[in-house]
Amino acid sequence: MSMTATKAALPPLRRTAEATTRRGSGHAGTLPRMAQPAAAPKRTPIGPKLASLAGSLATRILPPLVVIALLLLLWQLLCSRPGAGLPPPTKVLTDTWDLIVDPFFDNGGIDKGLFWHISASLQRVAIGFSLAAVVGVALGTLVGQSTWAMRGLDPLFQVLRTVPPLAWLPLSLAAFRDGQPSAIFVIFITSIWPIIINTAVGIRNIPQDYRNVSAVLRLNGFEFFYKIMVPSAAPYIFTGLRIGIGLSWLAIVAAEMLIGGVGIGFFIWDAWNSSKMSEIILALIYVGLIGFLLDRVVALAGNLVTRGTSAH
Amino acid sequence: MAYLDISKVGISFARAGIRTEVLREVDLQVERGEYVSIIGHSGCGKSTLLNIVAGLLRATAGGILLDGKEVNAPGPDRAVVFQNHSLLPWLTVRENVGLAVDKVFRGRKSRAERRDWIEENLRLVNMMHAAEKRPAEISGGMKQRVGIARALAMEPKVLLLDEPFGALDALTRAHLQDQVMEIHARLGNTILMITHDVDEAVLLSDRIVMMTNGPSATIGHILPIPLPRPRNRLELVEDAASVHARAAVLEFLYARHAAPALAA
C-alpha cells in the first residue's frame, strides 16, 4: 500500500478506491512506527510515569541515533582518504560552520543566509500548494459527484499527471514571462493531481447511509457539502494533500535551479558552480529536514481534522 | 382514510435492459399510533417497501399518502432508523442528534429549546451519559439507541425501523425491544418496522404483515396480534394467543412461502 504514496503509482480514478488507504502512509517514506507502549494509566505515581516516558523515548530515538552515527562513521572513513570526490562530515561541518551559525545574514543580491533561501522556497510552495489545494479539492469534488464530469475529465487528468514537473517550466516561463509566477505554477501543477484524485475517490466512497441520512433530513447542497461530504472525504483529501506537499517540495528545488534568484534550489546550483560541495551537502540536509517537517505538518493537520472520521 | 395509506405500490428496476419487478400491488393501511411489522424472507422486497415509504426510492406504480399528503421525497416526517445505525462518525452522540434537531426545528425552536429537546431525546433512550462520546467509542446497542433518539427527535409522523435490532446480540436486542415498546406506549408513535425475527414481530406489533417471496412480492397475509399492552416477554412465552400468533407466522414463512432456496 505504501506504493500509493509515490506519484508513479497513483492509479487511475476508477480503481483507486482499494489502492488509496485512509491515512495513507504519506510521501516521505517514513519507516513504520515502532509499536508504542500502552499509555500509562491515570493516577499512577509520577516516578514510574516518567520512567516509562523515558523508556518510550529511548526505544524511539535510540535506534535512529545509532544508525546515523554508524553512517557518519562510514562516510568519514570512505571520504577521508586523499583524492576523495566528496568531503567527509568533519570537513563539511568546518566548511559550512559560518552558514550554520548565521542563517540570517543578507549581503544583498543572492548572497543571503540559508534562512532567506529556504523561506523564499517555502513561500513559493505555500502559494502554489494552497492554490492547488483549493482548486484540487473543488475539481475532485466535481469529479467525485458527477459521473459525467468524471468521464470527461479523468482521461485528461490521467495523461496530464504523468508530465514531469520541470516539463511545465518552459511553457509557464513563456506564459508568465517571469520566474516567480512560473515557479509557483510548477508547484501548483505538480501537486494538484494527487489532491484531485484522492478527493474524488473520497467523495465517491461516501457511504450511501450518509447520503440517506442527509436525504431524510433534507440537507441542502451547501449543508451536505460541509456537514457530510467534507468530513466524510477528509481522510482521503488529506492523503492527497500529503502526497501533494511532498511533490511540491521535490519540484521547487528543481525549478529554482533553472529560474535562479533566491531559493534553496538556486543556492544548491550556485554552490555547484563554485564547487562548494560542503554547502551542497548542508543544503541537502536542510531540504530533507524541511520536506519531512512539511509532511508532518500536513499529517498532523489531517489527524486533527479527521479525528474520529476513519474509526467506524 | 388511514393515517398512512400505501395503495397499489409496485416497483421494478431495469438493469441491462431486463426489468425485474420487485414489488407488486402492495396495499397497506396503517392507523395513527399503530405498530406494524413487515416480515418476510430475505430478498422479498421488504426493505424496498420501507425505502419507498421513506421516499428514498420512487414507486413505479401506485402511491403513498401520509396524513393526507402524497409521499414523493424523503423528509423528517418519516424518520428512518437504519439497520447499521448510520451515525456520522466524526460527530459526538449529542452532535448526531443535534444535526437532526437543528435542521428540523430551526426557526421553530430557540437555541435553548433545541438543546433541551436533544437532551430529552437522549434521556429517552438512556444515552445522556455518553452524550459527548463518538460512535466509535460506544457499543452497537448504544449506537442503535442513538439512531432511535435521532429519529424520534425529528418528531416524525411515522417512524420507520429497518431491521433495527438485526445486528445486535440477543440480550442487547431484548433490552432494546423493551425500550422501544416503552417509548411507543409513552409517545404513541406510528411505527412501521421491518424484521425477520418472528418473536420480535409478535412481541412488538399490533399487526404483522407477511410478504410473499419475490420477484413480484406482495402482501400474503396480515395477522392482527390482539395481545393486551403492556406486554411482557416472559408472560408471552406461555400465552396461548401469543403462541398461536407465532405458529401462524411460522406456518406462513416456512410451509406456505418457504424461502426460495429451500423450496427449490
Side-chain angles (χ1 to χ4, degrees), chain A residues 121-161:
Chain A
S121 300
L122 281 175
Q123 264 172 37
R124 294 187 181 111
V125 167
I127 299 172
F129 178 72
S130 305
L131 284 174
V134 171
V135 178
V137 170
L139 275 176
T141 305
L142 177 71
V143 172
Q145 269 296 86
S146 149
T147 313
W148 200 93
M150 196 269 278
R151 290 196 183 128
L153 290 170
D154 187 44
L156 201 66
F157 292 164
Q158 295 303 337
V159 171
L160 287 182
R161 74 178 176 81

Side-chain angles (χ1 to χ4, degrees), chain A residues 21-269:
Chain A
T21 46
R22 293 193 153 200
R23 297 172 186 264
S25 54
H27 183 261
T30 46
L31 290 165
R33 287 199 184 179
M34 314 251 152
Q36 293 178 349
K42 287 173 194 169
R43 273 188 231 146
T44 40
I46 193 80
K49 204 173 165 185
L50 271 180
S52 89
L53 191 70
S56 88
L57 274 181
T59 51
R60 289 241 232 141
I61 292 185
L62 215 54
L65 283 183
V66 170
V67 171
I68 289 170
L70 284 176
L71 286 177
L72 283 176
L73 188 69
L74 187 68
W75 176 9
Q76 183 76 35
L77 289 175
L78 285 177
C79 297
S80 290
R81 65 191 160 80
L86 291 174
T90 45
K91 186 163 170 12
V92 170
L93 201 64
T94 48
D95 282 354
T96 60
W97 188 249
D98 291 342
L99 283 171
I100 296 172
V101 292
D102 183 15
F104 298 111
F105 72 87
D106 185 352
N107 298 336
I110 53 167
D111 188 11
K112 290 179 202 278
L114 274 169
F115 173 82
W116 302 111
H117 286 290
I118 288 168
S119 95
S121 300
L122 281 175
Q123 264 172 37
R124 294 187 181 111
V125 167
I127 299 172
F129 178 72
S130 305
L131 284 174
V134 171
V135 178
V137 170
L139 275 176
T141 305
L142 177 71
V143 172
Q145 269 296 86
S146 149
T147 313
W148 200 93
M150 196 269 278
R151 290 196 183 128
L153 290 170
D154 187 44
L156 201 66
F157 292 164
Q158 295 303 337
V159 171
L160 287 182
R161 74 178 176 81
T162 65
V163 176
L166 281 192
W168 292 100
L169 193 59
L171 213 58
S172 56
L173 276 171
F176 295 111
R177 295 167 192 284
D178 186 13
Q180 180 74 355
S182 304
I184 290 170
F185 176 76
V186 169
I187 297 301
F188 170 82
I189 205 77
T190 307
S191 54
I192 196 168
W193 310 116
I195 300 174
I196 293 177
I197 290 168
N198 280 283
T199 303
V201 172
I203 300 287
R204 198 143 334 122
N205 282 357
I206 296 175
Q208 185 60 38
D209 293 335
Y210 301 171
R211 295 182 187 273
N212 285 346
V213 167
S214 132
V216 168
L217 289 175
R218 291 198 179 131
L219 297 185
N220 59 39
F222 183 61
E223 288 168 327
F224 179 65
F225 178 74
Y226 80 94
K227 287 190 170 160
I228 308 278
M229 215 186 251
V230 170
S232 178
Y236 292 87
I237 295 175
F238 273 95
T239 300
L241 291 176
R242 240 180 118 180
I243 300 171
I245 194 86
L247 293 179
S248 302
W249 194 239
L250 291 185
I252 189 66
V253 173
E256 284 172 348
M257 286 186 173
L258 295 178
I259 62 166
V262 180
I264 192 70
F266 180 71
F267 177 87
I268 294 172
W269 191 244

Side-chain angles (χ1 to χ4, degrees), chain B residues 78-195:
Chain B
R78 284 153 287 123
V80 188
V81 176
F82 298 94
Q83 181 175 8
N84 49 357
H85 66 79
S86 295
L87 299 179
L88 304 177
W90 54 88
L91 299 179
T92 62
V93 163
R94 181 196 298 274
E95 287 164 344
N96 263 291
V97 179
L99 178 71
V101 170
D102 288 344
K103 178 63 188 173
V104 175
F105 293 103
R106 187 178 303 149
R108 279 195 282 158
K109 284 184 198 275
S110 73
R111 185 179 290 266
E113 283 171 330
R114 292 202 300 262
R115 196 191 57 224
D116 291 345
W117 181 238
I118 294 167
E119 296 192 352
E120 189 177 329
N121 281 283
L122 284 177
R123 233 172 267 126
L124 195 64
V125 295
N126 296 324
M127 282 301 294
M128 204 43 216
H129 64 282
E132 312 310 327
K133 291 216 161 88
R134 284 167 202 276
E137 299 166 326
I138 59 179
S139 70
M142 289 163 115
K143 283 180 207 165
Q144 205 51 282
R145 269 146 67 187
V146 178
I148 292 169
R150 176 174 64 183
L152 287 172
M154 299 177 207
E155 282 195 327
K157 288 177 174 167
V158 55
L159 186 60
L160 304 173
L161 309 179
D162 188 359
E163 298 193 24
F165 317 120
L168 305 175
D169 66 89
L171 291 176
T172 312
R173 190 186 307 165
H175 180 64
L176 265 183
Q177 287 164 347
D178 289 343
Q179 270 190 331
V180 166
M181 242 192 317
E182 195 191 310
I183 290 167
H184 179 236
R186 185 147 27 131
L187 304 179
N189 321 75
T190 310
I191 301 181
L192 195 59
M193 177 177 80
I194 304 287
T195 183

Side-chain angles (χ1 to χ4, degrees), chain A residues 259-295:
Chain A
I259 62 166
V262 180
I264 192 70
F266 180 71
F267 177 87
I268 294 172
W269 191 244
D270 194 40
W272 161 249
N273 283 332
S274 357
S275 301
K276 293 174 180 160
M277 289 305 143
S278 297
E279 290 190 5
I280 298 180
I281 290 167
L282 177 70
L284 288 194
I285 292 168
Y286 278 165
V287 167
L289 287 177
I290 287 173
F292 175 74
L293 280 181
L294 287 177
D295 181 65

